[in-house]
Amino acid sequence: MRSPRRLLLLAAASMAVLVTASPALAQAPAQPNEPWAQSASDIPADANVRFGQLSNGMRYAILRNATPPGQASLRLRIDAGSLMENENQLGLAHFMEHMAFNGTTNIPENDLLRILERLGLAFGADTNASTGFDQTIYMLELPRTNDETVDTSLRIMREQVSEALMAPDAVDAERGVIAGEERLRNTPGLRSIKAQLALLAPGQRISQRLPIGDLEIIRTAPRERFVEFYEAYYRPSRATMVAVGDFDVDEMEAKIRAAFESWEPKGTAGPEPDLGTVAPRDPETRILVEPGIQSSIQLNWIKAPDTDPDTVAERRDNLLRNLGVAVLNRRLGEIARADNPPFISAGGGQSTLAESLDIASVSAQFNPGEWKRALEAIEQEQRRLVQFGVSEAELQREITDARAGLENAVAAAATRRTPALANSIVGAVNDERVFTSPQTNLDLFNAAVEGLTAAQVNQAIKPVFEGGGPLALVVTPVEIEGGEAAVTAALEASRQVPVTAPAAQAQLDWPYASFGAPGAVQDRREIPELGATVVTFANGVRLTVKPTDFRDEQILVSVRTGIGELGLPTDRSDPQALAPLVFTQGGLGKLTADELSRVLNGRIYSAGFGVDSDTYSLSGATRPQDFALEMQVLTAYLTDPGLRPAPFQQIKAFFPQIIAQQMATPGGAFQLQASGLLASGDKRQSFPSAEDVAGWTIEDLRAGVTSGLSSGPIDVVVVGDVTVEDAIAAVAPTLGPLAPRGPDARPAPGATELRFPAGVAEPVQLTHTGPAEQALGYIAWPTTDAVGDRTESRQVAILAEVLKLRVLEEIREKQALAYSPGVGSSASDVFEGYGSISITAQTATDALPAFYAAVDSIVAGLRDAPVEEDELNRARLPVIESLRRSQASNEYWLAQLADVAARPEDVEQTLTHISDLEAITPADIQRLARQYLRADTAWRATVTSSRPAAETPAAAPAA
């Protein structure tokens, strides 16, 4: 069960997500049999990547990368997606992706995933696929690069793209799974994307080809139609294999050749789709009224797509435009953080949608009823940029920030993460872009900005917002009085308002460089088992340092103090629930958030804040040269937080929309309503109500956070590209000079306990406001904690993994009751006795009884007989391999070392994690199932729509 504060953060994250071109839309298809992009470019490709092509036309890109060590990422891209579908095939590109996992010539149905699980790959996390407008990608994350794992993985991928059986019974069985996915994805957000495409690309193929397709075709398409699409587009000339990892490049190349060189196409090659043309457009307005959606407005200008090849000149042109847009976005961000802003968030951008059209847009999210202010603000800021351009100071600021990021990428190039590299290469293939090294990127940037003037950028930015339009789209949960005519009139009126040049901003200095005389080290002890050192300063500050070589130029820091939620009341919601959303947005006492950004322009640092179960936490990421500054920033936030009213008032005004958005889907409604129920009504775990939030004040929040941060020991953890001496040198003059602090505050009455709810005979009835056919079923059992010895909680986690295998097989594959049923386990490391195993499924309303019956049968099977050793290993090995992969990351060690300074016994718990998992037996799984998966302790809930079927939006046709 997610913490309500994490849920609140997730819901409020939409404040920063604009309804501009979705990344899923912004893809440019490559043509089959084309050479690599670098063959037609003056940009050099990354010399470390081996690019090649087999005799059958299949391409490959291979890169050795040892971060993390001993692992690899494979991506097999097929240059075909939903744009290639005929009218009677809508949805079959995506359906075909599913069928590639459902039996091939040499791998029986259901065996494919089992083979991978035995190698330590988990379905979803390590074994996945995706279908877009113009590509389908099959993905494997290999936990090791020995011959067995690599050869087996390549064999499976070859079988998927050339030997899929598509047996009629397997197709029929999968229809329900696809229908479940369509039901799951039929959300206000998807309907908003459909409205966007209908406005921007009427008559073009992209507006009629969302990958989920047409349900009627999904339910009825015969096998022959699948075969037709498969043979037309799953061809070696349309395939690109990307392999990145810790292996010998020659050996990997030989393995790819051995696996794929014999692949010959079948049938007739499919044609390239006619994407249509961008028609001339006059200004136009559309309104989508969608309950539960975030209120937003976007102004778009469209034109024919830019299909020029990737060259130095093209990149320079793009850079100049992007620098201008970056200035616009910074200005809009500053407006959003001012008092009484006209919108919640706003931004501009430019993109190409699947080689169909180019879009420039400026958009904003706003509170219901405030559309006119938002429209006027973004329209006039966009026009201000075009009319007056950017200043030299603004331009240099963006250049400095961009250069700092590029320089950091060069310094960290040797330890880039393998999965990210594999995805980047695939992205370059799809965009027909040269995959370049970080050094090349920096060199191109420096050459482009050398001598660059604001006048040149201003000239480049003018054409960005030209083209057909503006095309205004307003997405709102409530009707707009006057409808489209009112929006059009407001837009025209705004366009007549004169704009003036922006005012220059004053130069500022960094006022937090000194906190007093550096603190003295009082004690230093080694933890050799973990490669860590604990340093205690004279004022009681404890510093734990672990130098690593996982990532060059990366240092992660956490600063923890106080008792967090233990200090909050259990019987009422507290304003500190909003603290993570407003703390850093409020800046520092002497600098607003925007002033802070200007002062530290070009530096690599960050600051995050959380109120955790038993602590307040500040966190950041930096590089060695900015490590001292990072500690100054975190110390300033600890000792002098701004906590200004503007961000607080903004989130208060936005909060009713958060609730409405959560309530619009079964999953969101469950998280919102069940958060407190699963803690027996404890208000610390409950999502606050709109009435709660409306009554809170910034003074209440400020008092609570300030008090919480003022007492208790300070624990600092530093992990990454750092030495112990450097860590001491950065902490001594920042946290070291602070006055000694007293003990932790006392917990609030009853705050040291959390209780799981008692079992229920009938499910608790909850509701959502979305379509009537959407529902959710949930069942959970109380288990154990991870406060001291974590052995049993780890065993319970593997029980959950076994349960997950059976749930996927029965509920997804056999009965097709849900597309993505979830099984999870949690164990509190703060509250004794508080833990659970849960099963969740978003399903059809009339399928809820079958869901519960299936769960009861699955659970009874685990209680009645021990699992087979093979099934246990298929559940356990992916967890172990994922853990091993995590252990090669700074993020893992930052979490593991959080409490070792105060609790030395945690060292042993860290060291025994893998051995605990390896020691679990089938008898353990049966014993735990009997102990915990009991009918009398099970807590169940259903979430069904509060709206009659006639009032809910029908599942929209494929767009």
Side-chain angles (χ1 to χ4, degrees), residues 404 555 602-605 622-631:
I555 300 174
R603 309 294 292 275
I604 303 294
Y605 73 97
T622 186
R623 58 183 175 179
Q625 72 184 74
D626 289 323
F627 181 31
L629 172 69
E630 177 69 47
M631 292 310 306

Side-chain angles (χ1 to χ4, degrees), residues 717-773:
V717 179
V718 177
V719 177
D721 189 1
V722 67
T723 66
V724 176
E725 298 308 321
D726 285 341
I728 293 173
V731 173
T734 50
L735 295 171
L738 303 185
R741 296 158 65 95
D744 281 327
R746 298 185 64 180
T752 58
E753 295 182 2
L754 269 186
R755 293 180 295 105
F756 195 83
V760 293
E762 294 295 327
V764 174
Q765 304 292 311
L766 306 174
T767 61
H768 67 89
T769 60
E773 69 271 14

